[in-house]
Amino acid sequence: MRHSLKNATFALCFTLSLTYSAMAQPAPAQPVHGVALDHLDRSFNPGDDFYRYANGEWLKHTEIPADRGSVGVFSTLDDTANVQTAAIIEAAAKSNAEAGSNARKIADLYNSYMNEQAIEAKGLAPVKPMLESIARINDKRQLARALGQTLRADVDPLNNTNFHTSNLFGLWVAPGFHDSAHYEAYLLQGGLVLPNSEYYISDSEHMRALRSKYQAHVAAILKLAGFADSDKRAAHIVELESKIAKKHTSLADNEDIIKADNRWKQSDFSAKAPGLDWAEYFRAAGLGKQATFTVWQPEAFISESALVASQPLDVWKDWLAFHLLEQYAGVLPKAFADERYAFFGQTLSGTPQQRPRWQRGVRMVSAVLGDAVGQIYAERYFSPEAKARAQAMVANIIDSFRKRIDALDWMAPATKAEAKAKLSTLYVGVGYPESWLNYSALTIKPDDLFGNLWRSSLFEYQRERTRLGSAVDKKEWSMTPQTVNAVNLPLQNALNFPAAILQPPFFDLNAPAAANYGAIGSVIGHEISHTFDNEGSAFDSAGALRNWWTAEDHTHFDVATQRLVAQYDTYKPFPDLAVNGRQTLAENIADVAGISAAYDGYHASLDGKPAPEQGGFSGDQQFFIAFAQNWASKTRDAALRQQVMTDPHSPAEYRGATVRNIDAWYAAFDITPERKLYLAPNARVRIW
Ligand SMILES: [Zn+2]
């Protein structure tokens, strides 16, 4: 789980936001090949605060733009990727491409987003038939049907760490836990609009205030849509969501794969989780013939199903109507979109201003027609030379991992053999996938924004639903080439490194090896290590859920990782809120392991030759500075609080401090015991 390098689920919340492009920002200065020397603040001692030593000047001179929750290296590169994507869309719009072609779909979708006049003129008409059909629901059986019709393939607990859907439940189609050769159906809890259950349960003053603002937002949306008694209805909707939240599984527990391994036959649901008319629900979802499901959070299913029976029909109907309006508010008339932004952008994330519409349009097209845009993106922006170099780095770092496994004194020989088998069957996708998604079944119209997005969500759902039971394509990607991120796919035993992250400052064909290995190399190592972390180690070399570790292996691993939990628990971004070492454990392990393997890979790449200096820094110093510069970022307080509570990744500053676990860092910067980051050799956490 939590296998991506950073979380894109709540794009507004993360320090390294992927959400929107920022073409209005000034162009970055002429690129420097190697580490960014002008970002360093040498008034900090590297041993006291390595993050500020490497990024201090950048932090001093960077301001968070008014239309963002955060700014950082990721978001800056994301801006570049969005400018590149915008150019693709612009070219498509000018090309007057033939009807039905991908280029025409790109152009029509973008134009449907930009045509605000048409959106205003239609008003609520596009969503009216759905609202009317909700209003006609007469009994709980019809309610079950309506709930089934909302099921979408909108969650992904293992690859992209997306546990959130505001529909009652979410579907994930992926290789089976016990048969990784075939696609199976996973069902996840849902039903909440706020980011997770903590928002409904927490008794802190901050959260109570947020909840009352949320209720006002629910009322405002209902009022805009013409509902009478909107305040009263909103109170009941929030009350229902709070009841759902009470039995939701927490993020930390969601990561426990063994707890998620609950195989239910379709015929079991009525007995195991009574309340909802399951037969009607599955029929309406097009899953009437699906024999088995893996139910990720049984307790939540039991509770949510019971609530369908026990709570008044009218409250559920309002809940359905509000969730529909909420999901599509961004593409309805301006009053809806503004109200949604006022709550989610301003109140929840603290971002004062919304990004320009055309930037949001680029982002939307890139998401809805991801492969159509991605195919052009890969051709234009990712050279065969860059691909070959990146593949060579990957091979080098995998080799370092192999040697590290051989050298482990705590791991049993049989476990080592399986670990190495996992490395040799690992599929590493670099740049772009080997095949592209076909959009011919998706109708896109130039003047029908709501319809385009509605059809797209059904198109995606149909695609996922119809491949249930079919053979797994191990080389399938879960990220588009234009995404600035990287991901580990544990059930496929595969990694994806999209073209967009293989650009400066992470990866630069003209930079010294030290900078490339410190920056993108540690990212590559991070993703490889997820193959063996507390969750990745649950899957064997075939991607099957199987315990291939001995009890002693686990004991050692648990002791080492407990120390890492304790290390991160001490970090406090706010006086009243600490990093959750357990919630962030898998990512912290990946950071420690990633930098270790990248460091070895770097030295292997030197092949005995001396490393060139840059700005008076040795190769090793450049390597560690480049690593810490990956994490340069600034985040608004509200967004940072949201991240600490919902994100499996630690805040950027603490990711930069990972170096304190690496012996070579102490030698490179001559770090002595009185320094704040100093850890005695036996207190440094070594896992791989
Ligand atoms: Zn990760």
Side-chain angles (χ1 to χ4, degrees):
M1 225 157 301
R2 330 162 138 178
H3 282 261
S4 61
L5 179 65
K6 64 196 191 67
N7 199 339
T9 311
F10 300 114
L12 282 170
C13 85
F14 195 63
T15 22
L16 315 167
S17 171
L18 269 173
T19 323
Y20 307 108
S21 73
M23 283 155 271
Q25 298 308 308
Q30 200 57 29
V32 178
H33 303 298
V35 300
L37 296 172
D38 55 343
H39 291 185
L40 291 157
D41 183 346
R42 295 170 208 238
S43 69
F44 284 93
N45 184 297
D48 288 337
D49 190 339
F50 193 63
Y51 173 76
R52 284 180 180 75
Y53 172 76
N55 300 302
E57 282 298 317
W58 182 91
L59 289 166
K60 246 183 257 172
H61 297 113
T62 304
E63 275 181 41
I64 306 171
D67 57 1
R68 312 226 178 165
S70 67
V71 62
V73 173
F74 277 84
S75 69
T76 307
L77 182 52
D78 198 49
D79 295 345
T80 305
N82 279 313
V83 170
Q84 294 165 330
T85 305
I88 290 169
I89 292 169
E90 207 175 315
K94 279 185 192 152
S95 71
N96 202 15
E98 68 177 300
S101 66
N102 277 352
R104 178 66 170 267
K105 286 190 164 91
I106 291 171
D108 287 351
L109 182 59
Y110 183 72
N111 289 334
S112 74
Y113 190 83
M114 295 311 290
N115 193 345
E116 289 179 88
Q117 248 179 329
I119 296 166
E120 293 303 320
K122 284 187 179 179
L124 266 188
V127 76
K128 253 223 155 86
M130 290 86 175
L131 289 174
E132 282 167 2
S133 124
I134 292 169
R136 281 195 300 270
I137 295 173
N138 252 327
D139 56 34
K140 291 284 169 86
R141 182 153 186 249
Q142 291 174 13
L143 173 64
R145 189 183 311 153
L147 290 167
Q149 284 165 350
T150 64
L151 186 66
R152 293 292 180 273
D154 55 359
V155 287
D156 175 347
L158 273 173
N159 301 332
N160 293 319
T161 337
N162 177 8
F163 288 98
H164 185 263
T165 175
S166 63
N167 297 325
L168 190 65
F169 304 117
L171 174 72
W172 184 49
V173 174
F177 272 161
H178 301 285
D179 173 12
S180 58
H182 296 93
Y183 290 110
E184 293 186 4
Y186 296 79
L187 286 175
L188 273 75
Q189 69 188 15
L192 309 179
V193 168
L194 291 175
N196 67 23
S197 56
E198 269 299 291
Y199 283 77
Y200 295 89
I201 296 165
S202 166
D203 204 31
S204 80
E205 204 178 312
H206 179 75
M207 289 302 223
R208 276 194 313 229
L210 262 186
R211 274 199 291 276
S212 74
K213 285 177 186 160
Y214 172 58
Q215 191 170 315
H217 164 68
V218 178
I221 290 276
L222 291 175
K223 197 170 178 195
L224 280 171
F227 282 80
D229 295 327
S230 53
D231 287 338
K232 206 171 103 196
R233 286 170 190 253
H236 288 147
I237 290 170
V238 177
E239 199 186 325
L240 173 56
E241 289 183 359
S242 302
K243 285 180 176 148
I244 293 173
K246 279 205 180 88
K247 294 286 177 175
H248 259 213
T249 299
S250 72
L251 182 55
D253 279 336
N254 270 330
E255 283 139 22
D256 189 335
I257 292 181
I258 306 303
K259 285 186 187 156
D261 186 20
N262 310 290
R263 219 166 145 78
W264 290 14
K265 289 201 190 80
Q266 184 170 152
S267 52
D268 293 341
F269 278 74
S270 304
K272 289 191 169 181
L276 176 64
D277 184 337
W278 287 102
E280 192 64 26
Y281 177 87
F282 284 123
R283 229 188 337 268
L287 293 168
K289 295 206 169 89
Q290 179 65 25
T292 55
F293 297 86
T294 295
V295 176
W296 205 275
Q297 307 102 337
E299 262 198 76
F301 276 73
I302 293 165
S303 157
E304 294 195 50
S305 177
L307 287 168
V308 172
S310 68
Q311 300 306 299
L313 184 65
D314 284 342
V315 175
W316 275 110
K317 287 166 70 174
D318 287 346
W319 176 94
L320 268 173
F322 167 67
H323 281 225
L324 172 71
L325 291 163
E326 177 61 42
Q327 285 173 8
Y328 286 91
V331 298
L332 292 175
K334 193 169 180 304
F336 286 88
D338 286 352
E339 170 55 35
R340 187 176 197 282
Y341 187 77
F343 180 73
F344 282 97
Q346 292 170 339
T347 304
L348 209 55
S349 299
T351 310
Q353 194 179 309
Q354 197 164 14
R355 298 208 186 178
R357 188 165 188 91
W358 67 278
Q359 293 182 16
R360 289 179 271 145
V362 167
R363 163 80 190 169
M364 186 275 296
V365 173
S366 186
V368 171
L369 295 170
D371 269 29
V373 172
Q375 187 170 5
I376 306 170
Y377 187 93
E379 278 162 20
R380 273 205 197 179
Y381 301 114
F382 194 58
S383 69
E385 198 189 0
K387 179 159 178 153
R389 180 84 65 85
Q391 282 175 321
M393 285 183 72
V394 169
N396 231 341
I397 294 167
I398 289 180
D399 201 45
S400 302
F401 246 101
R402 195 173 283 122
K403 289 183 181 134
R404 282 185 163 263
I405 288 166
D406 268 330
L408 292 175
D409 53 9
W410 54 268
M411 190 179 252
T415 317
K416 283 186 183 181
E418 182 65 22
K420 286 194 285 182
K422 245 194 126 166
L423 278 180
S424 56
T425 56
L426 185 69
Y427 165 74
V428 183
V430 173
Y432 49 88
E434 341 242 328
S435 62
W436 302 98
L437 187 57
N438 184 334
Y439 291 99
S440 54
L442 174 62
T443 303
I444 297 290
K445 300 177 183 171
D447 57 356
D448 184 17
L449 177 59
F450 174 85
N452 288 339
L453 292 182
W454 180 264
R455 284 186 295 273
S456 162
S457 95
L458 284 174
F459 168 80
E460 295 292 342
Y461 180 68
Q462 287 300 98
R463 190 172 81 85
E464 295 294 339
R465 192 181 63 81
T466 51
R467 64 184 187 157
L468 282 167
S470 67
V472 166
D473 174 7
K474 208 171 123 69
K475 295 182 175 177
E476 188 182 63
W477 278 50
S478 91
M479 266 177 188
T480 62
Q482 63 273 30
T483 306
V484 182
N485 206 340
V487 67
N488 181 308
L489 316 173
L491 288 165
Q492 291 170 227
N493 193 23
L495 311 178
N496 299 163
F497 296 101
I501 200 174
L502 296 167
Q503 302 189 82
F506 289 107
F507 175 68
D508 179 357
L509 277 173
N510 300 309
N516 278 337
Y517 275 90
I520 196 70
S522 63
V523 169
I524 294 169
H526 172 112
E527 294 307 330
I528 295 171
S529 107
H530 276 313
T531 307
F532 304 111
D533 67 13
N534 51 335
E535 288 131 12
S537 64
F539 301 95
D540 67 13
S541 59
L545 184 61
R546 176 170 78 83
N547 185 7
W548 48 280
W549 287 38
T550 65
E552 293 75 34
D553 294 334
H554 274 298
T555 304
H556 173 93
F557 191 77
D558 288 346
V559 169
T561 55
Q562 270 319 111
R563 286 165 54 215
L564 204 59
V565 170
Q567 190 180 109
Y568 281 76
D569 276 344
T570 64
Y571 295 143
K572 288 187 104 175
F574 300 97
D576 63 336
L577 185 64
V579 172
N580 182 336
R582 192 168 149 250
Q583 177 183 305
T584 54
L585 176 61
E587 294 305 326
N588 299 332
I589 293 172
D591 281 345
V592 174
I595 189 171
S596 309
Y599 179 80
D600 291 357
Y602 165 53
H603 276 265
S605 80
L606 289 173
D607 205 17
K609 294 187 204 78
E613 284 195 356
Q614 187 199 346
F617 289 112
S618 70
D620 277 16
Q621 288 174 327
Q622 293 166 56
F623 172 88
F624 288 111
I625 292 169
F627 169 79
Q629 289 188 338
N630 275 0
W631 305 113
S633 83
K634 277 192 165 180
T635 306
R636 289 182 199 283
D637 282 357
L640 185 59
R641 278 182 179 274
Q642 191 177 347
Q643 185 196 342
V644 171
M645 291 179 55
T646 61
D647 199 317
H649 304 82
S650 299
E653 152 172 16
Y654 309 115
R655 299 186 74 171
T658 311
V659 293
R660 64 197 300 218
N661 294 295
I662 312 295
D663 293 339
W665 173 73
Y666 289 81
F669 291 93
D670 200 14
I671 308 295
T672 47
E674 71 277 14
R675 292 298 160 201
K676 288 184 190 142
L677 288 174
Y678 181 87
L679 292 170
N682 62 5
R684 296 169 201 165
V685 179
R686 295 164 228 268
I687 294 164
W688 295 104

